[in-house]
Every structure is written in structure tokens, then in C-alpha cells.
Amino acid sequence: MAAQETRVITKFLRDRTDDSWEFAVAREHNQAYSALEKALGMEPAQLVEEVTKSGLRGRGGAGFGTGQKWSFLPKDVFPRYLAVNADEGEPATFKDHMLIERDPHQIVEGSIITAYAIEAHHAFIYLRGEFALGAERLQAAVDDAYANGFLGKNILGSGFDLELIVHRGAGCYIAGDETGLLSSLEGERAMPRIKPPFPAVQGLYAAPTIVNNVETMSAVPHIVDRGGEWYAGTGVNKSLGTRIFSVSGNVEKPGNYEVELGMTFRDLIEGLAGGVAGGKQMKFFIPGGASSPWLLPEHLDEPLDMDRATELGTMLGSGAIMVFDETVDPVLVAWRIAKFFAHESCGKCTPCREGSWWLEKVLYRMANGLGRADDLDLLLSFGNNISPGVTWPPGQTTICQLGPSTMSPTLSLHKHWGDEIRARLAQDAERRTTLEVAAG
Ligand code: SF4
């Protein structure tokens, strides 16, 4: 059977030809806020239990158990906060962008349910600054929710109060790190903080805070509506439910696809995204955003399973799959990603600040035929200072994950084409020496 999407959180926005998203339409076609009505009839602890039972794991990148995260809040410590991470800055990830623009009420509803479950009375949606249309629609959705009694004082007569604020970020990658996001919300530069303490213990304004991703929030109303057991009955192993994957690069049909976890990369890339464009062969693919190490065509029959991805030395990360055909030079891709991370390093830790800068310089010369014979080993030695051992899952000498992420492209070059690249560098070096001699 041909590969198919399983539309749960994208059902409303995909299954209608009418692209409207406003309150009345969302109420009529997606029963928006009906799960909230149900949730308010439950005890907060029951909701935490239901979401834990569902096995939902964070969809932002780290893949931590959502209910488990909520249960880490220290008992009887108030106030507490919810911060929804809508910063989506991982290159090639565009799923949250779609959810924000085309189904903002689902996010608002999931956020209200989550705030109720964790007993928070203030919640923030931290939105990537560049998402202008998303900001407009999300704010309109929040205004509608206030106007219809789903936000504010005594929501639907339940006695529960919640203020929800849409906060636009200033546009940097590192604001997507949960502690960088909290620093930014507090009005500081979005610099990540050392953990522990984790945000659940000491987060926004030093109070217990839960940071959850947009897609995670969008799944919550469905779990409340249909039950944790229903959700846990889908997916594979400990990767349960559906996920939206943003497929881009050299494919016939790039786009967002919501699929049940456990589907193979092949069914997603070749079945749903139409395979490599122009009848070319695939050279490699990046399975989980620019931060993740790369996979080869031989991995296409592996399942979309977060733990299996770890065994393969990579991650599903933010759900961004980038496909590259046989004409692409992997060294050039590695350089471009390294340039991005060097630009986005906040500079707080020396190994990341200095290392990312040097990685970019050396990869640039390698990609442009100016490499030295030992450049790949030089990169690995830089990497050892950032991510000791240069392995996966990565070791870390830095405050946040951006540091080790800078090494993923180099790690991939070394693992998949190490001998080939060393031979190419030796040839480049020899050619340059010959030219220098000829030039006198
Ligand atoms: S790892 Fe890099 S981005 Fe993260 S805190 Fe350190 S310097 Fe900043």
C-alpha cells in the first residue's frame, strides 16, 4: 500500500479546501476548545497522568517525555509558568510555522490545558520574531479565546484563571534553547544558562517553569479528547503517536507530512515526498535538522523511531529531513551548516565561540579546493575540545547543545567519506604545491 499520512494535529488544516482558521471555523470543524471543556472537569494531576500514559515526547528536538517533564515541578512551589517554544529556528524546520499560521487555536487550547495541568496562571508563547503573519494570527486567536471565556478569570466557570501572552522574540537561533528562551523572555540577551537547575525547578523569574514546543502543545487536546491509551496505541516502541516531518532539499514534493512514528524514511522520502528530484540518486540525508549527524541511502529502511536514530548515531531532532542528491558536495554542505552555527553561537562558552569560528574557516578552504592534507583531522581535534570524543550522543564542554551540534557535519564527513575526503585533501595540497613551485 502506498505510504500515507496519519493526520491528527494537521487534520483541520489539511482536510479542508477552505483555508480559514478563525475562531468560528475552528470551533465548527475542529471542535476547538472542546478538549479544554473536558480537561477542566478533570483534576490537574489526572491530566498529568493521562499525558504521561500517552507517551508523548517533546517535539522540539530533545524528545523528553512531556508528562514526565510536567511531573518534575516541585510540589507546592508557586507561582509556576508555562513557556511555549514557538521560536522554531533549526534550519529546514517549518512545521511549527505551519501550525502557528494555520491552526493557532489548537496551540492556544493545548497551552491552556497544559497551564491548567501544571497549575500555572501565567503562560507565554515565545514566537520567532520573523513570523509576522503567525504573530498576527496567534494574537487574534488569543484575543478570541479571551472574548469567548477560554482565557482570563474563572475560565468557563471552573475557577481557573490564566493570562496568556504572545511574546515576539528578536530572531536568534539560540532563543530556541529552553534556557535561552527564558533569558530572552526576562528581557536579557537570549543566552543559555547552565543546567541544573533545570527550568522545571528554577526557570522564568527563578520560578518553576515548563517549556514545551508548539507541536507538543498541539497534540495535547487530542490526547485529552481521545485518551492517553489511544495515543500510546499508535507509533512504535517508545516513539509514540504522530509527528510532523518537514522534508526539503532535492525531493519532488518538499513539504510537511504528519506520519505515525515507525514509518520508514523510505516511505516518507520516496513515498510521500516523491523521492529524489529529477530521477537522480540520493547521496545522503540529514534526518533531524542541521544539528543532527547525517545518514546514507542504506539507512532508508530504518524506522522513524527516536531511540533507533540514537543507535544509528543521530537523532530525529526537530523533524527536519534534508535530502541531497548525487551532485551535492557534502563538504560544501558541512561548511554551510558550520557557517550558520558560527554565526549563531552566543559566545558565552570558549569552546563553542572559538571552535565554531575555526570549523567554519577550515571547512571553507576544504570546500574550495584550498584544504591542507590534515584538515579533516584538524577539524576533529577542534571538535574534541567542544564535544570530547566526537561521538554520538555527544559529550559536551559547553553550556548548551549548539556547541556539539557544530560538530555533526564534520562527524558525518569523517564517518561516511573519511578516506575519500583525506585523499581529496592530499590531492588539493599537492596541486597547490605544484602551482606554487611553477609560480616560483
Ligand atoms: S554552546 Fe555556544 S551557543 Fe550555547 S551557550 Fe555556549 S557559546 Fe552560547
Side-chain angles (χ1 to χ4, degrees):
M1 197 175 75
Q4 285 186 328
E5 284 192 84
T6 303
R7 293 172 176 167
V8 177
I9 66 177
T10 57
K11 185 170 171 46
F12 170 64
L13 65 91
R14 287 285 196 220
D15 287 4
R16 295 170 46 250
T17 47
D18 172 3
D19 195 29
S20 56
W21 53 273
E22 291 87 352
F23 180 77
V25 184
R27 273 296 261 177
E28 183 185 347
H29 294 278
N30 202 26
Q31 289 75 51
Y33 301 101
S34 60
L36 172 63
E37 287 161 349
K38 181 177 174 185
L40 291 173
M42 297 166 71
E43 290 298 319
Q46 274 180 286
L47 283 166
V48 176
E49 197 184 314
E50 205 60 33
V51 172
T52 305
K53 202 192 295 173
S54 76
L56 174 67
R57 293 167 69 173
R59 301 305 196 219
F64 201 79
T66 304
Q68 201 183 353
K69 195 184 222 186
W70 295 359
S71 67
F72 284 161
L73 288 165
K75 301 243 175 303
D76 304 323
V77 181
F78 297 94
R80 296 166 171 185
Y81 298 106
L82 169 67
V84 178
N85 189 342
D87 194 58
E88 194 174 56
E90 184 77 12
T93 315
F94 42 87
K95 64 186 177 65
D96 293 346
H97 191 181
M98 174 183 74
L99 293 171
I100 291 162
E101 287 188 357
R102 300 186 54 199
D103 198 356
H105 284 288
Q106 186 171 236
I107 301 165
V108 172
E109 183 180 12
S111 305
I112 303 169
I113 295 171
T114 302
Y116 176 69
I118 65 169
E119 300 177 73
H121 297 289
H122 284 88
F124 301 85
I125 300 180
Y126 185 96
L127 185 68
R128 183 170 169 176
E130 294 93 330
F131 289 172
L133 181 62
E136 207 176 283
R137 291 187 173 182
L138 203 46
Q139 188 59 58
V142 167
D143 293 345
D144 282 338
Y146 271 107
N148 288 278
F150 297 116
L151 275 170
K153 297 274 180 222
N154 191 22
I155 296 173
L156 301 178
S158 64
F160 175 61
D161 305 335
L162 179 66
E163 300 300 329
L164 177 58
I165 291 126
V166 177
H167 179 98
R168 285 182 77 171
C172 73
Y173 175 83
I174 210 61
D177 170 270
E178 60 178 3
T179 58
L181 182 155
L182 297 177
S183 298
S184 178
L185 259 183
E186 290 176 0
E188 304 290 333
R189 287 176 65 188
M191 281 182 156
R193 304 169 180 174
I194 292 175
K195 293 186 276 191
F198 290 92
V201 176
Q202 198 175 323
L204 190 63
Y205 311 123
T209 304
I210 291 298
V211 184
N212 279 146
N213 162 266
V214 158
E215 187 184 346
T216 313
M217 289 295 90
S218 299
V220 167
H222 300 280
I223 291 168
V224 171
D225 184 33
R226 298 167 77 172
E229 253 172 54
W230 158 77
Y231 197 83
T234 59
V236 66
N237 301 323
K238 290 183 180 166
S239 297
L240 301 174
T242 62
R243 272 196 79 166
I244 307 174
F245 289 90
S246 306
V247 185
S248 66
N250 302 127
V251 285
E252 291 286 355
K253 294 186 283 181
N256 285 317
Y257 298 95
E258 183 180 9
V259 301
E260 191 172 336
L261 286 159
M263 175 181 272
T264 62
F265 286 104
R266 187 183 300 283
D267 280 344
L268 175 56
I269 295 171
E270 295 182 357
L272 292 171
V276 180
K280 295 197 174 73
Q281 297 296 309
M282 179 191 288
K283 175 99 178 174
F284 65 101
F285 64 101
I286 306 183
S291 303
S292 63
W294 310 349
L295 294 176
L296 299 175
E298 69 195 49
H299 298 117
L300 279 171
D301 292 314
E302 293 288 351
L304 294 159
D305 173 334
M306 296 178 222
D307 303 309
R308 178 61 186 149
T310 306
E311 287 169 10
L312 292 172
T314 185
M315 62 176 177
L316 296 189
S318 61
I321 298 182
M322 288 176 261
V323 176
F324 298 90
D325 72 27
E326 59 195 318
T327 67
V328 175
D329 176 7
V331 181
L332 192 60
V333 177
W335 165 70
R336 191 59 193 83
I337 293 175
K339 184 174 165 68
F340 171 80
F341 284 127
H343 181 261
E344 295 296 335
S345 169
C346 80
K348 195 169 181 177
C349 330
T350 308
C352 172
R353 183 184 63 239
E354 299 296 320
S356 60
W357 191 87
W358 279 108
L359 283 167
E360 191 271 319
K361 296 286 169 245
V362 175
L363 280 163
Y364 178 81
R365 72 184 184 210
M366 286 169 66
N368 287 283
L370 299 167
R372 299 176 188 169
D374 61 353
D375 269 354
L376 188 54
D377 298 300
L378 182 63
L379 291 177
L380 293 170
S381 76
F382 296 160
N384 210 34
N385 292 324
I386 306 170
S387 178
V390 197
T391 53
W392 195 271
Q396 192 171 328
T397 59
T398 56
I399 293 171
C400 86
Q401 279 292 323
L402 188 147
S405 297
T406 60
M407 280 311 294
S408 291
T410 298
L411 176 64
S412 307
L413 294 181
H414 169 62
K415 186 171 171 185
H416 300 315
W417 304 282
D419 291 344
E420 196 182 304
I421 290 169
R422 283 186 181 86
R424 168 172 151 182
L425 289 170
Q427 272 180 2
D428 286 346
E430 194 179 331
R431 183 177 43 80
R432 249 198 350 275
T433 309
T434 311
L435 287 172
E436 280 163 12
V437 169

